[in-house]
């Protein structure tokens, strides 16, 4: 039985014996692994690398009559898909955390110099519930889950027709920001209160501090 090394190859045998493009294989593997970007957007460089490898491999396949053109094309298409979807999903999640028309603020915006501009406005604030405080229809929202000072805690009064099921993660609270009247007589009470609030799970890391567990 003859092989491509034993006789002058024709066009068909030359195609069969052509080497495989390692770049095309790498692009296809990296593009397939890019599915993790859907859950971990921080790995967005992975589909970008797969895309570059796919484009370079396509040119190499044509220039040097290599095999692997299909894998290179797959790498390009899959990397673009996972890259675009991987970037779009966190944006959609972030927008879904707050009620429409509510301004995004952070705990740092509630300091002495800038809190006045937010009083009386509908805002969305992200943080962690203080599980040590059990209130009926209310939640203490803290900056990092371990806020003991009045400046790091906000009293959240949940809307009457709303309910929430705390799972221990970050929260995105939308409500009307006001001064807490109890803070004038109780120095340990939260300085601010969010009324008529709606609580949703925080699905992104944007505008939320890292949680610090209680000791």
């Amino acid at each position: 039985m003859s092989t491509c090394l034993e006789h002058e190859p024709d066009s068909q045998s030359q195609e069969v014996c052509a080497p495989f493009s390692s770049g095309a294989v790498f692009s296809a593997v990296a593009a397939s692994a890019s599915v993790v970007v859907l859950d971990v957007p921080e790995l967005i460089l992975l589909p970008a690398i797969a895309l570059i490898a796919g484009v370079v491999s396509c040119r190499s396949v044509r220039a040097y009559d290599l095999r692997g053109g299909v894998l290179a094309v797959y790498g390009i298409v899959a990397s673009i898909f996972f890259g675009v979807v991987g970037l779009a999903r966190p944006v959609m999640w972030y927008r879904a955390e707050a009620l429409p028309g509510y301004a995004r603020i952070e705990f740092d915006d509630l300091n002495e110099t800038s809190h006045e501009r937010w009083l009386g406005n509908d805002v969305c604030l992200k943080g962690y519930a203080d599980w040590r405080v059990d209130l009926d229809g209310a939640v203490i929202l803290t900056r990092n889950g371990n806020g003991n000072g009045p400046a790091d805690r906000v009293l959240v009064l949940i809307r009457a027709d709303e309910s929430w099921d705390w799972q221990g993660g970050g929260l995105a609270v939308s409500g009307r920001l006001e001064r807490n009247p109890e803070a004038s007589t109780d120095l340990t009470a939260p300085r601010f209160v969010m009324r008529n609030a709606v609580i949703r799970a925080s699905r992104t890391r944007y505008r939320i501090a890292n949680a610090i567990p209680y000791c």
Side-chain angles (χ1 to χ4, degrees):
M1 181 176 180
S2 63
T3 66
C4 62
L5 299 178
E6 296 173 335
H7 63 83
E8 185 70 18
D10 55 19
S11 59
Q12 183 177 3
S13 61
Q14 186 176 7
E15 181 181 354
V16 172
C17 296
F20 225 102
S21 170
S22 58
V25 176
F26 173 80
S27 175
V29 172
S32 298
S34 296
V35 67
V36 300
V37 176
L38 300 182
D39 293 320
V40 188
E42 291 79 6
L43 297 179
I44 192 61
L45 283 180
L46 185 58
I49 294 173
L51 175 60
I52 295 173
V55 172
V56 173
S57 298
C58 274
R59 295 179 178 177
S60 300
V61 166
R62 296 193 189 99
Y64 303 106
D65 293 326
L66 303 176
R67 289 186 292 165
V70 174
L71 288 180
V73 172
Y74 165 78
I76 293 174
V77 174
S79 61
I80 291 176
F81 172 79
F82 289 126
V84 172
V85 176
L87 287 174
R89 289 184 73 185
V91 174
M92 293 186 294
W93 289 342
Y94 180 72
R95 291 181 176 178
E97 290 174 345
L99 294 180
Y102 282 61
R104 291 275 192 165
I105 65 171
E106 303 177 18
F107 273 90
D108 288 338
D109 295 317
L110 301 180
N111 56 42
E112 293 292 343
T113 58
S114 62
H115 72 273
E116 292 285 351
R117 63 175 298 196
W118 303 113
L119 290 176
N121 293 320
D122 293 330
V123 299
C124 178
L125 180 65
K126 297 175 69 171
Y128 303 87
D130 187 343
W131 58 269
R132 300 171 302 177
V133 181
D134 186 13
L135 301 174
D136 185 19
V139 177
I140 297 295
L141 186 71
T142 68
R143 179 194 297 265
N144 51 29
N146 196 17
N148 293 317
D152 293 328
R153 306 164 75 224
V154 174
L155 175 62
V156 177
L157 303 180
I158 304 173
R159 184 183 295 177
D161 59 347
E162 289 287 333
S163 62
W164 73 294
D165 182 19
W166 182 60
Q167 300 296 328
L171 303 175
V173 180
S174 299
R176 178 66 58 88
L177 183 68
E178 298 178 0
R179 294 185 187 276
N180 184 8
E182 296 181 2
S184 60
T185 56
D186 184 357
L187 297 180
T188 63
R191 294 172 54 197
F192 302 101
V193 57
M194 295 180 70
R195 300 184 183 278
N196 204 30
V198 174
I199 300 179
R200 294 177 178 175
S202 173
R203 303 187 64 185
T204 66
R205 297 300 311 161
Y206 304 121
R207 290 181 173 269
I208 189 170
N210 292 325
I212 300 177
Y214 291 105
C215 298

